[in-house]
Amino acid sequence: MDSLTPLVRAIFRMLEARLEVVSRHSERVASLAVMLARELGMNENDQKMIYVAGLLHDLGKMAVPGRILFKPDKLTGEEWEEIKKHPVYSFEVLSYIPQLKDISLLMLYHHERYDGRGYPRGLKGEDIPLGARILAVADSYDAMTSHRVYRPAMSTRKALEEIYRCAGTQFDPRVVEVFFNLDVSGSKLEVPFRKRDREVLTTT
């Protein structure tokens, strides 16, 4: 994995040059995903894989036309279908590199949902690789709390409530439970219902 560092850096710099906003989001997603992986007891190699997958998870957006990617208005159905292709584009690029094949799968599946209603394959529950389930939470949290051309940033509180609400449907409830115990930027990601509903999160 370490031998691929120069290649990964080169790919990320290309993403950064083309889509600076996306690259900053990806750095935050990668850092948060590693924290989750560590708390979930994943080994060091898996943590490195998840970090790289976080950095490059939106690589496929380079293939999406800018007029769609940065459209300030609501997307049409056709435009949304184009956006949904970006995990496949990411996979198609990286899967040609044998040492990055496992990482490319995490990128391919990071928009799958725990209830099977995600994309691109409609995988469900633990059929979705754990790394992809981790990326789903990290990606969604940062996306919600970041300013986008089509909406302002959501407050931390509202983003946490949304992630909690979607535990067991969009997100793996075990990953959500660990997420709520994380310490990010010096403050724990906790909300008042955290302790009261701990059992719900872990048994959903």
Side-chain angles (χ1 to χ4, degrees):
M1 188 68 226
D2 291 341
S3 64
L4 293 171
T5 299
L7 175 60
V8 170
R9 284 179 179 167
I11 296 172
F12 181 73
R13 292 309 171 202
M14 181 173 61
L15 176 65
E16 188 176 44
R18 170 73 171 82
L19 302 169
E20 185 179 356
V21 172
V22 171
S23 70
R24 291 199 300 269
H25 160 71
S26 295
E27 287 180 310
R28 294 190 297 268
V29 169
S31 297
L32 183 52
V34 166
M35 292 172 70
L36 281 165
R38 187 180 303 121
E39 291 300 313
L40 283 160
M42 301 185 78
N43 64 46
E44 187 175 343
N45 187 63
D46 286 342
Q47 290 178 37
K48 289 179 179 179
M49 288 176 53
I50 287 172
Y51 183 78
V52 172
L55 277 181
L56 304 180
H57 75 281
D58 277 340
L59 179 65
K61 286 184 176 178
M62 292 180 65
V64 178
R67 61 180 173 76
I68 296 176
L69 200 57
F70 300 113
K71 183 179 179 180
D73 304 314
K74 184 177 180 180
L75 296 177
T76 65
E78 184 178 349
E79 290 169 337
W80 176 237
E81 288 304 312
E82 185 62 33
I83 287 281
K84 286 167 64 176
K85 293 176 183 177
H86 81 270
V88 177
Y89 294 150
S90 299
F91 172 77
E92 289 176 344
V93 171
L94 289 194
S95 62
Y96 282 105
I97 306 170
Q99 300 94 321
L100 296 180
K101 182 65 179 289
D102 290 342
I103 291 171
S104 71
L105 288 171
L106 302 184
M107 295 159 63
L108 177 64
Y109 297 137
H110 79 278
H111 279 295
E112 299 289 355
R113 289 174 50 114
Y114 200 70
D115 60 8
R117 298 172 59 193
Y119 61 89
R121 301 284 185 261
L123 299 184
K124 183 177 182 180
E126 297 199 2
D127 288 340
I128 306 167
L130 177 56
R133 285 179 268 149
I134 289 172
L135 285 175
V137 173
D139 182 35
S140 294
Y141 174 75
D142 189 76
M144 286 188 285
T145 55
S146 299
H147 176 77
R148 297 296 171 92
V149 293
Y150 50 86
R151 60 150 177 81
M154 188 180 292
S155 70
T156 297
R157 168 76 193 197
K158 285 188 175 297
L160 291 172
E161 288 176 344
E162 183 66 11
I163 287 175
Y164 174 81
R165 185 182 70 81
C166 295
T169 53
Q170 184 174 352
F171 306 121
D172 179 342
R174 182 165 64 105
V175 175
V176 171
E177 184 197 11
V178 171
F179 175 76
F180 272 78
N181 278 313
L182 285 182
D183 190 321
V184 178
S185 299
S187 60
K188 282 184 85 67
L189 294 176
E190 291 188 304
V191 289
F193 49 61
R194 168 64 184 87
K195 291 181 180 179
R196 174 168 58 82
D197 290 343
R198 180 186 182 95
E199 186 175 325
V200 175
L201 278 175
T202 55
T203 58
T204 299

